[in-house]
Amino acid sequence: MQRLIFDEDHEMFRDSVRRFMQTEVAPHVEQWRKDGRCDPEVFRKAGEAGLLCMWADEQYGGLGIEDFRFEQVVIEETIRHGDLGLFMTLHSRLVGPYIGRLGSGALKQRLLPKCVSGETILGVAMTEANAGSDLAAIRSRAVRDGDDWVLNGSKTYISNGMIGGAFVVAARTVPDKRHGIGLFVVEEGMEGFNRGRNLAKMGLKTQDTAELFFENVRVPAENVLGDPERGFYNLMHHLAEERLISACQEIAHPQVAFDLTMDYILERRAFGKPIGAFQNSRFKMAEMRASLDAVQTFIDQCVMLHNNGELTAELAAEAKLLASELEGRVMDDCVQLHGGAGYMSEYRISHMYADARVSRIYAGSSEIMKEIIARSIGLDERKLSD
Ligand SMILES: Cc1cc2nc3c(=O)[nH]c(=O)nc-3n(C[C@H](O)[C@H](O)[C@H](O)COP(=O)(O)OP(=O)(O)OC[C@H]3O[C@@H](n4cnc5c(N)ncnc54)[C@H](O)[C@@H]3O)c2cc1C
């Protein structure tokens, strides 16, 4: 289906991102999968190519591009020609903007140029062993000491956790207030900051997902993001974009699976004809095509709303829910159409199937997305139970 949201500039940019992925990413994916992380050098190369934190102002080395479609192109080409596990967009557009929008002048001056160049890789650390969906239940604590803050606690499941050089860390600053949370930038080398294991996981093998530990880490005032008691609301403010990013990934991924499967079923034969000739295969592919086109169109519309500053949290939740649920169904059907080959590691579809499973869990699970949407249509459990 022709997509109406891109113009010539986006397509030219797409060509350059595709070339980058084909030369700097694709040849290394197999090794990165074995290593359980990518080589951080790829971030530096992406920085040189102008693909990181494109929104950043020119004074920090950025391009000052706010148009989300350029990031959407990076997401799509990373997934098509590179690998879903390369979390460049997490660095650029999910974490970087916290520093750009809430950081002190000194922090931005020092850190943003390194984020644009890829010298420093970013991550965000919210989740704890006992607090994932329920962010307000976190136990990590930050206590003011003079101008500094002293941070204690631990985080888990943190993407870019091993290769990251700076993390936006959520910690409780007001003990008796559920939403009394602050955001702090913890940097590699700060005393008391340590990494734990690179966690073994089902999919996303090129992505390092780690534990982080903070023991009396002294965070200077310049590394506090915004009001230290309003971090929860600052996080909520960014959630619409975060969920849009997820939705863009979660629709780009099955688009690639569809194409791989199309090639496979036209080539593979059984009972004297291509697998693609069976009615079941044709109908499965037809269903997938129609669903992918519909959800892609919805997400493209959300991208344009976001560019106009009109994307609501509810619409972003709808986009993430629709895309991640469709991704799961498409991956399952695509593996099925590959037969035994679909279960073999040498076929890309087997990795994609495993990689896709997390989409319904992280960055807000499907159940949480449904909660948000239900509340927006007047079905708020708390109000209805009164
Ligand atoms: C690969 C990976 C990378 C990640 N990267 C990061 C990262 O970079 N930074 C970070 O901070 N976190 C990260 N996470 C954590 C992720 O965001 C959490 O796993 C997610 O928010 C879910 O939290 P949880 O695992 O504690 O599950 P839980 O909150 O314990 O949920 C368990 C189940 O209960 C359901 N549930 C929970 N509350 C409700 C409710 N109110 N109504 C109905 N059902 C509910 C959930 O939907 C889920 O099905 C990552 C996770 C993974 C797997």
Side-chain angles (χ1 to χ4, degrees), residues 53 55 65-69 71-72 75 89-98 101 234-249 302-303 305-307 309-317 319-320 363:
C53 299
W55 53 267
I65 296 176
E66 284 288 350
D67 180 352
F68 187 83
R69 287 172 292 182
E71 194 65 39
Q72 191 182 11
I75 292 170
T89 291
L90 175 101
H91 162 92
S92 290
R93 194 86 198 204
L94 205 143
V95 191
Y98 284 111
R101 288 178 202 158
N234 285 326
L235 284 170
M236 294 301 122
H237 183 74
H238 291 273
L239 278 185
E241 171 156 325
E242 183 176 330
R243 284 171 184 155
L244 181 63
I245 290 167
S246 297
C248 288
Q249 289 173 333
C302 287
V303 166
L305 286 171
H306 186 51
N307 270 353
E310 292 167 4
L311 182 70
T312 61
E314 297 79 44
L315 274 180
K320 182 177 189 295

Side-chain angles (χ1 to χ4, degrees), residues 216-252:
N216 291 322
V217 178
R218 191 162 273 278
V219 182
E222 76 173 48
N223 282 34
V224 178
L225 296 178
D227 182 337
E229 295 188 4
R230 292 194 57 80
F232 186 85
Y233 303 100
N234 285 326
L235 284 170
M236 294 301 122
H237 183 74
H238 291 273
L239 278 185
E241 171 156 325
E242 183 176 330
R243 284 171 184 155
L244 181 63
I245 290 167
S246 297
C248 288
Q249 289 173 333
E250 289 154 6
I251 192 66

Side-chain angles (χ1 to χ4, degrees), residues 191-205:
E191 206 171 321
F193 167 44
N194 290 299
R195 299 170 214 263
R197 293 170 296 159
N198 185 9
L199 299 162
K201 52 192 187 303
M202 179 196 289
L204 287 183
K205 302 280 191 192

Side-chain angles (χ1 to χ4, degrees), residues 124-127 132-133 157-159 209 358 361-363 365 367-368:
V124 60
M126 297 193 262
T127 304
S133 305
Y157 305 157
I158 306 308
S159 303
T209 308
V358 77
I361 298 171
Y362 69 3
S365 67
E367 292 73 26
I368 297 299

